[in-house]
């Protein structure tokens, strides 16, 4: 016969182990942060049902893995004579506010929900538009902003379906 204490111990062991695993997972998710200060802003808010994109977030391990590459890629632009600033990532804090200004000034995108992320003079457009033509026009406007080196257009038409970007749950 198994002692009563051992039965209770076994009965509690599995649920406690599962709880510990869930806590570790939740804690790992909480540790995502934006140590590179990649600018990420909501530009328009005309489609409230649009899936909200996740902002830039890195675990400590991801941060360490990317830090050297980002330093190297950022300065290569300046060393090649293509950048006036010493690091391509320094432009992002200037570029992303200009994206908002340009799209609001265009006065044609009130019925969209667009977010912009800047990394190394590249702009990622995420969110929802009403037509493919709007997505193309937004991309064209952003490409023409000073210092923008490229645009990744991840805008989806409408608010239904799976977005082409990682969304907040």
């Amino acid at each position: 016969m198994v002692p009563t204490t051992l039965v209770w111990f076994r009965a509690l062991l599995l649920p406690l182990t599962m709880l510990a695993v869930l806590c570790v997972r939740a804690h790992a998710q909480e540790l995502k942060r934006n140590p590179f200060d990649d600018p990420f802003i909501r530009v328009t808010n005309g489609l409230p049902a649009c899936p909200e994109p996740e902002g830039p977030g890195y675990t400590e391990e991801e941060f360490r893995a990317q830090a050297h590459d980002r330093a190297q890629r950022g300065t290569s632009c300046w060393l090649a004579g293509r950048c006036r600033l010493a690091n391509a990532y320094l432009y992002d804090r200037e570029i992303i506010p200009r994206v908002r200004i340009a799209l609001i000034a265009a006065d044609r995108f009130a019925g969209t929900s667009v977010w912009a992320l800047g990394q190394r003079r590249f702009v990622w457009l995420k969110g929802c538009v009403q037509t493919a033509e709007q997505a193309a026009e937004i991309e064209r406007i952003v490409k023409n902003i000073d210092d923008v080196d490229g645009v990744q257009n991840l805008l989806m038409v409408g608010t239904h379906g799976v977005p082409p970007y990682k969304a907040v749950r």
Side-chain angles (χ1 to χ4, degrees):
M1 174 132 190
V2 179
T4 307
T5 308
L6 187 56
V7 172
W8 279 104
F9 178 75
R10 287 181 180 165
L12 290 174
L13 187 60
L14 181 60
L16 287 175
T17 303
M18 290 174 55
L19 181 62
V21 168
L22 291 174
C23 288
V24 167
R25 283 186 183 165
H27 184 65
Q29 288 175 347
E30 292 171 17
L31 293 177
K32 283 204 169 194
R33 58 190 180 91
N34 185 7
F36 301 113
D37 290 328
D38 295 329
F40 177 70
I41 62 170
R42 184 175 208 150
V43 178
T44 62
N45 190 21
L47 291 171
C50 183
E52 181 179 347
E54 269 190 11
Y58 307 90
T59 63
E60 192 62 32
E61 184 179 325
E62 291 168 331
F63 167 69
R64 283 193 303 271
Q66 289 190 26
H68 177 74
D69 286 342
R70 286 175 66 114
Q72 195 171 26
R73 282 184 288 164
T75 57
S76 64
C77 173
W78 182 72
L79 291 171
R82 293 188 328 262
C83 293
R84 62 182 162 77
L85 300 178
N87 188 309
Y89 290 96
L90 296 175
Y91 290 86
D92 300 333
R93 286 186 195 93
E94 298 174 6
I95 289 171
I96 296 304
R98 286 191 261 148
V99 169
R100 174 184 275 151
I101 291 166
L103 294 181
I104 290 172
D107 200 30
R108 294 188 299 273
F109 307 112
T112 67
S113 284
V114 176
W115 288 261
L117 166 67
Q119 288 181 344
R120 207 178 79 242
R121 297 177 58 194
F122 284 81
V123 177
W124 277 258
L125 298 169
K126 302 177 181 184
C128 305
V129 294
Q130 294 177 357
T131 66
E133 291 76 22
Q134 273 185 324
E137 179 67 7
I138 289 170
E139 181 180 349
R140 187 192 63 74
I141 289 170
V142 173
K143 277 183 179 176
N144 287 325
I145 294 173
D146 261 357
D147 297 321
V148 171
D149 218 15
V151 176
Q152 292 293 315
N153 187 341
L154 301 177
L155 298 169
M156 62 187 278
V157 177
T159 59
H160 301 293
V162 178
Y165 50 83
K166 197 169 188 180
V168 173
R169 298 180 209 282

PDB file of all heavy atoms in Angstrom, residues 12-25:
ATOM      1  N   LEU A  12      -0.382  16.103  -7.095  1.00  0.00           N
ATOM      2  CA  LEU A  12      -0.089  17.530  -7.244  1.00  0.00           C
ATOM      3  C   LEU A  12       1.096  17.808  -8.163  1.00  0.00           C
ATOM      4  O   LEU A  12       1.236  18.905  -8.688  1.00  0.00           O
ATOM      5  CB  LEU A  12       0.185  18.149  -5.874  1.00  0.00           C
ATOM      6  CG  LEU A  12      -1.009  18.267  -4.942  1.00  0.00           C
ATOM      7  CD1 LEU A  12      -0.563  18.767  -3.584  1.00  0.00           C
ATOM      8  CD2 LEU A  12      -2.045  19.204  -5.543  1.00  0.00           C
ATOM      9  N   LEU A  13       1.945  16.831  -8.370  1.00  0.00           N
ATOM     10  CA  LEU A  13       3.172  17.028  -9.135  1.00  0.00           C
ATOM     11  C   LEU A  13       2.910  17.460 -10.581  1.00  0.00           C
ATOM     12  O   LEU A  13       3.472  18.445 -11.050  1.00  0.00           O
ATOM     13  CB  LEU A  13       4.029  15.756  -9.117  1.00  0.00           C
ATOM     14  CG  LEU A  13       5.418  15.897  -9.755  1.00  0.00           C
ATOM     15  CD1 LEU A  13       6.225  16.967  -9.035  1.00  0.00           C
ATOM     16  CD2 LEU A  13       6.151  14.569  -9.726  1.00  0.00           C
ATOM     17  N   LEU A  14       2.047  16.782 -11.289  1.00  0.00           N
ATOM     18  CA  LEU A  14       1.773  17.120 -12.691  1.00  0.00           C
ATOM     19  C   LEU A  14       1.163  18.518 -12.827  1.00  0.00           C
ATOM     20  O   LEU A  14       1.661  19.325 -13.613  1.00  0.00           O
ATOM     21  CB  LEU A  14       0.878  16.060 -13.350  1.00  0.00           C
ATOM     22  CG  LEU A  14       0.550  16.305 -14.819  1.00  0.00           C
ATOM     23  CD1 LEU A  14       1.827  16.342 -15.666  1.00  0.00           C
ATOM     24  CD2 LEU A  14      -0.383  15.244 -15.343  1.00  0.00           C
ATOM     25  N   PRO A  15       0.101  18.851 -12.067  1.00  0.00           N
ATOM     26  CA  PRO A  15      -0.453  20.208 -12.201  1.00  0.00           C
ATOM     27  C   PRO A  15       0.561  21.297 -11.839  1.00  0.00           C
ATOM     28  O   PRO A  15       0.625  22.326 -12.505  1.00  0.00           O
ATOM     29  CB  PRO A  15      -1.639  20.218 -11.236  1.00  0.00           C
ATOM     30  CG  PRO A  15      -1.998  18.791 -11.035  1.00  0.00           C
ATOM     31  CD  PRO A  15      -0.727  18.022 -11.193  1.00  0.00           C
ATOM     32  N   LEU A  16       1.371  21.068 -10.823  1.00  0.00           N
ATOM     33  CA  LEU A  16       2.373  22.068 -10.445  1.00  0.00           C
ATOM     34  C   LEU A  16       3.442  22.210 -11.519  1.00  0.00           C
ATOM     35  O   LEU A  16       3.906  23.316 -11.808  1.00  0.00           O
ATOM     36  CB  LEU A  16       3.001  21.703  -9.100  1.00  0.00           C
ATOM     37  CG  LEU A  16       2.107  21.905  -7.882  1.00  0.00           C
ATOM     38  CD1 LEU A  16       2.793  21.400  -6.621  1.00  0.00           C
ATOM     39  CD2 LEU A  16       1.710  23.351  -7.742  1.00  0.00           C
ATOM     40  N   THR A  17       3.832  21.113 -12.125  1.00  0.00           N
ATOM     41  CA  THR A  17       4.815  21.161 -13.214  1.00  0.00           C
ATOM     42  C   THR A  17       4.254  21.935 -14.398  1.00  0.00           C
ATOM     43  O   THR A  17       4.937  22.781 -14.985  1.00  0.00           O
ATOM     44  CB  THR A  17       5.212  19.731 -13.641  1.00  0.00           C
ATOM     45  OG1 THR A  17       5.720  19.036 -12.507  1.00  0.00           O
ATOM     46  CG2 THR A  17       6.252  19.757 -14.736  1.00  0.00           C
ATOM     47  N   MET A  18       3.000  21.674 -14.735  1.00  0.00           N
ATOM     48  CA  MET A  18       2.364  22.386 -15.852  1.00  0.00           C
ATOM     49  C   MET A  18       2.264  23.875 -15.539  1.00  0.00           C
ATOM     50  O   MET A  18       2.514  24.717 -16.403  1.00  0.00           O
ATOM     51  CB  MET A  18       0.984  21.795 -16.148  1.00  0.00           C
ATOM     52  CG  MET A  18       1.061  20.404 -16.763  1.00  0.00           C
ATOM     53  SD  MET A  18      -0.534  19.582 -16.965  1.00  0.00           S
ATOM     54  CE  MET A  18      -1.438  20.760 -17.909  1.00  0.00           C
ATOM     55  N   LEU A  19       1.913  24.222 -14.316  1.00  0.00           N
ATOM     56  CA  LEU A  19       1.827  25.623 -13.914  1.00  0.00           C
ATOM     57  C   LEU A  19       3.200  26.293 -14.023  1.00  0.00           C
ATOM     58  O   LEU A  19       3.304  27.422 -14.506  1.00  0.00           O
ATOM     59  CB  LEU A  19       1.288  25.724 -12.484  1.00  0.00           C
ATOM     60  CG  LEU A  19       1.129  27.137 -11.930  1.00  0.00           C
ATOM     61  CD1 LEU A  19       0.124  27.912 -12.785  1.00  0.00           C
ATOM     62  CD2 LEU A  19       0.686  27.090 -10.491  1.00  0.00           C
ATOM     63  N   ALA A  20       4.239  25.601 -13.610  1.00  0.00           N
ATOM     64  CA  ALA A  20       5.594  26.151 -13.695  1.00  0.00           C
ATOM     65  C   ALA A  20       5.982  26.418 -15.149  1.00  0.00           C
ATOM     66  O   ALA A  20       6.560  27.453 -15.467  1.00  0.00           O
ATOM     67  CB  ALA A  20       6.593  25.203 -13.043  1.00  0.00           C
ATOM     68  N   VAL A  21       5.659  25.504 -16.056  1.00  0.00           N
ATOM     69  CA  VAL A  21       5.965  25.682 -17.480  1.00  0.00           C
ATOM     70  C   VAL A  21       5.219  26.893 -18.030  1.00  0.00           C
ATOM     71  O   VAL A  21       5.783  27.713 -18.757  1.00  0.00           O
ATOM     72  CB  VAL A  21       5.633  24.397 -18.278  1.00  0.00           C
ATOM     73  CG1 VAL A  21       5.676  24.653 -19.772  1.00  0.00           C
ATOM     74  CG2 VAL A  21       6.590  23.283 -17.898  1.00  0.00           C
ATOM     75  N   LEU A  22       3.959  27.037 -17.681  1.00  0.00           N
ATOM     76  CA  LEU A  22       3.173  28.186 -18.142  1.00  0.00           C
ATOM     77  C   LEU A  22       3.750  29.491 -17.616  1.00  0.00           C
ATOM     78  O   LEU A  22       3.797  30.491 -18.331  1.00  0.00           O
ATOM     79  CB  LEU A  22       1.706  28.036 -17.721  1.00  0.00           C
ATOM     80  CG  LEU A  22       0.926  26.933 -18.430  1.00  0.00           C
ATOM     81  CD1 LEU A  22      -0.476  26.802 -17.821  1.00  0.00           C
ATOM     82  CD2 LEU A  22       0.828  27.222 -19.917  1.00  0.00           C
ATOM     83  N   CYS A  23       4.172  29.497 -16.375  1.00  0.00           N
ATOM     84  CA  CYS A  23       4.768  30.702 -15.794  1.00  0.00           C
ATOM     85  C   CYS A  23       6.063  31.083 -16.510  1.00  0.00           C
ATOM     86  O   CYS A  23       6.303  32.254 -16.786  1.00  0.00           O
ATOM     87  CB  CYS A  23       5.031  30.511 -14.303  1.00  0.00           C
ATOM     88  SG  CYS A  23       3.528  30.497 -13.306  1.00  0.00           S
ATOM     89  N   VAL A  24       6.880  30.090 -16.822  1.00  0.00           N
ATOM     90  CA  VAL A  24       8.135  30.348 -17.527  1.00  0.00           C
ATOM     91  C   VAL A  24       7.840  30.910 -18.908  1.00  0.00           C
ATOM     92  O   VAL A  24       8.464  31.875 -19.348  1.00  0.00           O
ATOM     93  CB  VAL A  24       8.998  29.066 -17.617  1.00  0.00           C
ATOM     94  CG1 VAL A  24      10.140  29.234 -18.599  1.00  0.00           C
ATOM     95  CG2 VAL A  24       9.523  28.703 -16.243  1.00  0.00           C
ATOM     96  N   ARG A  25       6.875  30.342 -19.616  1.00  0.00           N
ATOM     97  CA  ARG A  25       6.506  30.841 -20.950  1.00  0.00           C
ATOM     98  C   ARG A  25       5.995  32.269 -20.865  1.00  0.00           C
ATOM     99  O   ARG A  25       6.368  33.124 -21.665  1.00  0.00           O
ATOM    100  CB  ARG A  25       5.451  29.946 -21.590  1.00  0.00           C
ATOM    101  CG  ARG A  25       6.001  28.670 -22.139  1.00  0.00           C
ATOM    102  CD  ARG A  25       4.930  27.903 -22.882  1.00  0.00           C
ATOM    103  NE  ARG A  25       5.450  26.634 -23.337  1.00  0.00           N
ATOM    104  CZ  ARG A  25       4.698  25.651 -23.756  1.00  0.00           C
ATOM    105  NH1 ARG A  25       3.389  25.771 -23.767  1.00  0.00           N
ATOM    106  NH2 ARG A  25       5.241  24.536 -24.166  1.00  0.00           N
TER     107      ARG A  25
END
